[in-house]
């Protein structure tokens, strides 16, 4: 038990758990996003439709598509969610089979 607590404390003090490292990773991420947004105004794209000519169209399209996927997955969760003990066997397998009231198959051929 003490090893589990020691491992947990070692994991929480790792490189990527430090607040200053997380802050720098987020700054780099936001800088990349901003750079891609600026580049979208500079580069010339060979588009097929008029909608694609709108600057930052693909960024908004991706954001909306991802948001729709999240909302659909939340709705699907209502139908697909299972109980925490869904895969646990409630009783011994022998008892389960005995409680099913299975009938022996009858043969059409006499013994």
């Amino acid at each position: 038990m003490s090893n589990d607590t020691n491992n947990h404390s070692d994991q929480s003090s790792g490189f990527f758990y430090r607040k200053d490292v997380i802050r720098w990773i987020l700054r780099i991420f936001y800088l990349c996003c901003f750079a891609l947004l600026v580049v979208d105004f500079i580069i010339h794209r060979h588009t097929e439709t008029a909608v694609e000519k709108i600057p930052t169209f693909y960024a908004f399209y991706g954001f909306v598509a991802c948001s729709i996927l999240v909302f659909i997955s939340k709705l699907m969760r209502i139908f697909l969610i299972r109980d925490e003990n869904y895969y646990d066997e409630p009783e011994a397998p022998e008892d389960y089979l005995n409680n099913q009231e299975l009938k022996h198959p009858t043969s059409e051929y006499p013994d």
Side-chain angles (χ1 to χ4, degrees), residues 105-111:
T106 57
S107 174
E108 57 188 75
Y109 302 110
D111 289 332

Side-chain angles (χ1 to χ4, degrees), residues 22-41:
I22 294 171
R23 192 175 310 121
W24 274 105
I25 290 173
L26 286 175
R27 285 180 184 170
I28 292 169
F29 173 73
Y30 293 139
L31 182 66
C32 289
C33 289
F34 180 73
L36 287 172
L37 190 68
V38 169
V39 168
D40 198 25
F41 286 100

Side-chain angles (χ1 to χ4, degrees), residues 9-69:
S9 64
D10 290 342
Q11 289 176 351
S12 63
S13 64
F15 179 73
F16 288 107
Y17 287 94
R18 294 176 32 200
K19 290 184 185 262
D20 56 336
V21 173
I22 294 171
R23 192 175 310 121
W24 274 105
I25 290 173
L26 286 175
R27 285 180 184 170
I28 292 169
F29 173 73
Y30 293 139
L31 182 66
C32 289
C33 289
F34 180 73
L36 287 172
L37 190 68
V38 169
V39 168
D40 198 25
F41 286 100
I42 297 171
I43 63 168
H44 171 71
R45 284 184 265 129
H46 301 281
T47 59
E48 297 287 327
T49 63
V51 176
E52 292 176 307
K53 294 178 184 176
I54 300 172
T56 69
F57 166 74
Y58 288 110
F60 287 118
Y61 179 73
F63 177 76
V64 169
C66 186
S67 300
I68 289 172
L69 283 174

